[in-house]
């Protein structure tokens, strides 16, 4: 129960002697329970998973080391949390501030004898460092994404809709063993490639379009996230020049990311290059972020990120340049931080492909 031990070490500094976990991904991380309903109650020496009749058998099989509490009905969660917290000797119960709404908080206050204490990021900060098992799942998700890119380059052509490309990507990844897509697949062509989050639409890809493909595989709860920008026919010369700048920025960032630097310093490897080439205002998002159970996790590498990069973090590196009414380029890879530097997990070709 290493995860619980590490979590409990944070109790004293957070002013709590127990924690209520309501975030679904945090629940899964701590318990390995994959059901969609339940809360976790942790004290300094006990751990319970409260769920309803749909999941009690599943929870018993998956949540090793947790006492499974059967909730007789959904509304009983409030009174049952209060009852068990009291029995566990919890007097200051932490709750996940980002996940508990005002109305839910009021319901807990009405029945709890413990003081409720808002906490932030206790489990999320544990999740930043991946275990060997987590890394293996992310690696598989990355391999599936690499294979999907190789496949989709045989499909891309003038006349095909972005939505059809997205569907082909998602079906291929499922056939390769993915449980689904890591997020809504982005296929943005022509002028739409200037939209950083241009989810696939009904636009038809035409000759000369740059096409941004941002997608990933979901594998046993863990995700990959890759972006490649390709050209269907000969693209605009300015976009080709921009592609080279983005690729250089990506390469410098991957070469520079290592343990001990901050997310701000990691961001600067790519951002400084793009800014020096005159496109700083066209790179409006962070250079990358953590991935795992969620597609966007801490650390979020940006100009403000003070988090220190550590071995075991899995990060995206995704510089981009976006020119309204012309198009854009983004190149994204997943890396795992090692003791010496980092290892790239995604290996799809990065040089500009002209189909």
């Amino acid at each position: 129960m290493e995860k619980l031990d590490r979590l409990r070490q944070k109790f004293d500094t957070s002013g709590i002697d127990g924690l209520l976990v309501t975030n679904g991904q945090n629940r899964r991380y701590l318990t390995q329970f994959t059901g969609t309903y339940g809360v976790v109650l942790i004290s300094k020496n006990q751990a319970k998973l409260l769920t309803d009749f749909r999941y009690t058998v599943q929870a018993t099989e998956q949540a090793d080391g947790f006492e499974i509490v059967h909730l007789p009905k959904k509304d009983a969660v409030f009174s049952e949390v209060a009852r068990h917290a009291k029995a566990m000797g919890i007097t200051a119960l932490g709750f996940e501030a980002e996940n508990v709404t005002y109305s839910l908080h009021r319901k807990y206050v009405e029945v709890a004898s413990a003081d409720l204490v808002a906490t932030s990021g206790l489990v999320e900060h544990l999740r930043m460092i991946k275990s060997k098992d987590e890394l293996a799942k992310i690696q598989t998700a990355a391999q599936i994404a690499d294979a999907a890119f190789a496949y989709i380059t045989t499909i891309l052509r003038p006349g095909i809709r972005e939505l059809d490309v997205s569907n082909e990507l998602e079906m291929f990844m499922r056939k390769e063993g993915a449980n689904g897509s890591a997020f809504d697949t982005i296929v943005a062509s022509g002028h739409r490639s200037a939209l950083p989050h241009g989810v696939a639409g009904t636009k038809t890809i035409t000759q000369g379009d740059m096409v941004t493909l941002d997608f990933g595989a979901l594998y046993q709860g863990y995700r990959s996230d890759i972006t490649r920008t390709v050209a269907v026919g000969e693209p605009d010369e300015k976009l080709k020049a921009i592609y080279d700048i983005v690729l250089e920025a990506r390469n410098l960032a991957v070469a520079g990311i290592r343990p001990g630097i901050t997310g701000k310093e990691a961001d600067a490897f790519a951002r400084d290059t793009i800014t020096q080439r005159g496109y700083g205002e066209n790179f409006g998002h962070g250079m990358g972020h953590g991935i795992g159970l969620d597609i966007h996790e801490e650390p979020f590498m940006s100009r403000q990120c003070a988090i220190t990069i550590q071995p075991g973090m899995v990060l995206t590196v995704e510089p981009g340049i976006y020119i309204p009414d012309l198009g854009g380029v983004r190149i994204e890879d997943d890396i795992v931080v090692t003791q010496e530097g980092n290892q790239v997990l995604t290996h799809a070709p990065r040089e500009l492909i002209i189909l």
Side-chain angles (χ1 to χ4, degrees):
M1 303 300 286
E2 179 187 355
K3 293 175 182 176
L4 288 182
D5 291 339
R6 290 165 57 206
L7 180 60
R8 285 169 173 143
Q9 290 173 9
K10 298 173 177 285
F11 279 12
D12 287 344
T13 56
S14 301
I16 61 176
D17 56 8
L19 180 66
L20 175 66
V21 178
T22 51
N23 177 285
Q25 298 291 42
N26 289 344
R27 178 184 65 226
R28 177 169 182 163
Y29 175 76
L30 292 171
T31 67
Q32 305 304 305
F33 170 60
T34 59
T36 59
Y37 180 71
V39 299
V40 176
L41 190 59
I42 301 167
S43 69
K44 290 187 175 181
N45 53 21
Q46 290 179 275
K48 300 183 180 185
L49 170 60
L50 292 71
T51 189
D52 65 24
F53 77 97
R54 296 171 297 171
Y55 297 114
T56 49
V57 173
Q58 179 184 344
T60 301
E61 294 173 348
Q62 293 180 328
D64 185 43
F66 284 78
E67 179 185 338
I68 308 305
V69 177
H70 172 244
L71 295 173
K73 56 183 180 178
K74 194 170 183 179
D75 287 346
V77 65
F78 305 103
S79 59
E80 287 297 290
V81 164
R83 184 170 72 86
H84 283 273
K86 184 175 182 179
M88 295 162 74
I90 297 173
T91 59
L93 179 61
F95 66 92
E96 298 178 298
E98 289 87 358
N99 196 251
V100 174
T101 65
Y102 177 70
S103 61
L104 289 177
H105 180 265
R106 289 186 64 185
K107 290 180 180 179
Y108 283 119
V109 168
E110 288 173 1
V111 295
S113 58
D115 293 329
L116 295 183
V117 181
T119 67
S120 179
L122 294 187
V123 181
E124 287 86 348
H125 281 89
L126 297 181
R127 286 169 50 189
M128 287 194 296
I129 309 299
K130 271 54 180 184
S131 67
K132 289 182 179 179
D133 178 65
E134 290 178 297
L135 289 174
K137 291 172 181 176
I138 296 170
Q139 177 71 75
T140 300
Q143 292 169 348
I144 293 171
D146 279 341
F149 178 75
Y151 167 73
I152 208 64
T153 57
T154 70
I155 299 297
L156 279 169
R157 63 184 184 276
I160 191 172
R161 297 185 309 167
E162 294 172 349
L163 190 59
D164 296 325
V165 175
S166 172
N167 289 338
E168 288 283 350
L169 277 168
E170 294 178 7
M171 286 188 292
F172 181 89
M173 289 191 292
R174 284 184 176 273
K175 289 178 182 178
E176 291 294 300
N179 303 111
S181 298
F183 52 93
D184 289 341
T185 297
I186 292 171
V187 181
S189 62
H191 67 278
R192 291 191 73 249
S193 63
L195 303 174
H197 279 184
V199 175
T202 57
K203 179 186 176 299
T204 298
I205 295 171
T206 60
Q207 189 75 16
D209 275 357
M210 291 288 260
V211 183
T212 297
L213 306 162
D214 187 348
F215 61 97
L218 174 66
Y219 179 76
Q220 295 185 14
Y222 288 81
R223 302 164 198 267
S224 58
D225 188 0
I226 183 173
T227 305
R228 292 294 185 266
T229 304
V230 302
V232 177
E234 195 67 28
D236 185 283
E237 288 297 322
K238 185 175 183 179
L239 288 172
K240 290 171 70 174
I242 285 171
Y243 191 99
D244 291 340
I245 296 170
V246 172
L247 181 57
E248 180 185 2
R250 176 266 173 209
N251 291 343
L252 288 170
V254 170
I257 292 175
R258 61 191 184 277
I261 67 172
T262 65
K264 178 180 179 179
E265 290 171 320
D267 178 88
F269 289 127
R271 190 170 306 280
D272 289 353
T273 299
I274 291 173
T275 300
Q276 289 163 9
R277 302 299 182 87
Y279 290 101
E281 293 183 359
N282 302 100
F283 178 24
H285 56 74
M287 194 277 296
H289 54 83
I291 54 173
L293 287 168
D294 284 314
I295 194 59
H296 296 108
E297 298 184 352
E298 291 281 10
F300 294 94
M301 292 175 288
S302 69
R303 284 170 284 196
Q304 292 79 38
C305 181
I307 293 175
T308 300
I309 304 300
Q310 301 175 55
M313 289 182 172
V314 178
L315 311 171
T316 67
V317 176
E318 50 180 301
I321 296 175
Y322 313 94
I323 310 297
D325 301 319
L326 176 63
V329 174
R330 182 165 66 255
I331 303 170
E332 176 183 22
D333 281 303
D334 302 338
I335 65 172
V336 56
V337 181
T338 65
Q339 293 291 344
E340 297 77 24
N342 67 77
Q343 175 187 349
V344 180
L345 301 178
T346 43
H347 300 287
R350 297 178 194 94
E351 298 297 331
L352 178 61
I353 294 175
I354 301 177
L355 302 171

